[in-house]
Amino acid sequence: MKRLFSKTIIWGLMVLLIFNIASPVNANEIEKGPSLNMEHLDKKEQQSIKKHLKSLKADKAKNSKKLSKENKKIANESLENAESELVYADIAEGEKNIILGTDNPKTFVAVTDENIEVIEQVGDTEFLMNGELHQFEVTIINEPNGTLPALTNEFEGENSGGISTEASSAWTFIGSTWVNVNSQRNFNTYSASALGTVIAGILATVGGVGFWGVTLASLGVGMAYNYVASSEYPTNVGRSHVFRYKRGVSPLRDYRTKSYDYAVYYGKTIYLGISERIRKSCVGCGV
């Protein structure tokens, strides 16, 4: 299966910090609001997201029976203040993926179409998802900056034989990273918004600020969407090879992240698709 999650985001939840292009934000703060977090969507898509958030209520969610009274209250408060609480929103293959902040910096509301999930980080790799405890493991392997990794024959499926590192001559290669994800249960049992929230939160904790910069959410939710969408590979183990590029001079600098995502299925590493995001230096420039 070939899945493309191009247009993914700017900083996905739980992620304990988010970088503005010009300067970093405090680690305990999260950048909220639609101006940056929907800049990658066209006007019609932005209106669709806003309309959806206004019409959605916890009591009418498809999974409302899985929400406790307290979590319904948390979700409704975020939905009522969606204009200021929006952390991330995107539309992938017709599916709305939305992340909202709350008064608690470690608690987020993940919306996937008509489903609502309240997610709280209770440990570096432990999360309560609608009150149910889930454990995850994420490891990161950095490769030398400025050096393209050698091609490999390890992978099967699309893009077999190596990773394409094509980029315009205007882009400068910064470095690449392997991200390995192991979840408590199979990926296809999670929603993309919820799993993306978790991955972004763990990467923020494990990866650190300077390493991920402005592209953490696009990585987290993009990886999650590819993992979740590949239901023909019911696995809980995934790998992503992330390439980072830049162009221009700070503060007028653009960043590009391209992640090649794989499922580890019965000992084979199978290509799933690409997660890509270009973050421009000026607000409203789009992608």
Side-chain angles (χ1 to χ4, degrees), residues 261-273:
D261 305 320
Y262 302 84
V264 180
Y265 185 65
Y266 284 102
K268 297 180 180 179
T269 307
I270 302 168
Y271 175 76
L272 300 177

Side-chain angles (χ1 to χ4, degrees), residues 21 246-255 279-282:
I21 285 295
K246 65 181 179 180
R247 68 180 177 190
V249 179
S250 182
L252 299 178
R253 176 172 290 165
D254 301 332
Y255 292 88
R279 172 72 190 274
K280 290 191 176 285
S281 57
C282 60

Side-chain angles (χ1 to χ4, degrees), residues 141-150 173-178 211 241-244:
I141 302 174
N142 293 326
E143 294 175 316
N145 286 357
T147 303
L148 290 173
F173 176 69
I174 302 173
S176 62
T177 305
W178 278 106
F211 177 78
H241 202 180
V242 185
F243 292 82
R244 302 185 304 282

Side-chain angles (χ1 to χ4, degrees), residues 99-134:
I99 295 171
L100 301 170
T102 69
D103 291 338
N104 184 342
K106 289 185 175 290
T107 301
F108 292 82
V109 176
V111 175
T112 305
D113 284 341
E114 305 298 329
N115 291 288
I116 296 175
E117 294 167 278
V118 177
I119 302 172
E120 180 183 1
Q121 187 170 13
V122 294
D124 286 350
T125 61
E126 297 177 325
F127 295 78
L128 289 176
M129 303 174 72
N130 285 348
E132 181 182 354
L133 182 64
H134 292 259

Side-chain angles (χ1 to χ4, degrees), residues 33-45:
S35 60
L36 284 174
N37 302 325
M38 288 202 295
E39 67 170 350
H40 53 285
L41 300 176
D42 61 35
K43 290 183 178 180
K44 184 177 180 180
E45 290 172 323

Side-chain angles (χ1 to χ4, degrees), residues 29 58 93 120 124 152 184 194 198 203 249 254 259 263 270:
E29 295 177 356
E93 297 190 8
E120 180 183 1
D124 286 350
T152 173
Q184 180 175 315
V198 167
L203 290 178
V249 179
D254 301 332
S259 173
I270 302 168

Side-chain angles (χ1 to χ4, degrees), residues 23 52 121 190 237 264 273:
S23 60
H52 185 67
Q121 187 170 13
Y190 293 100
V237 181
V264 180

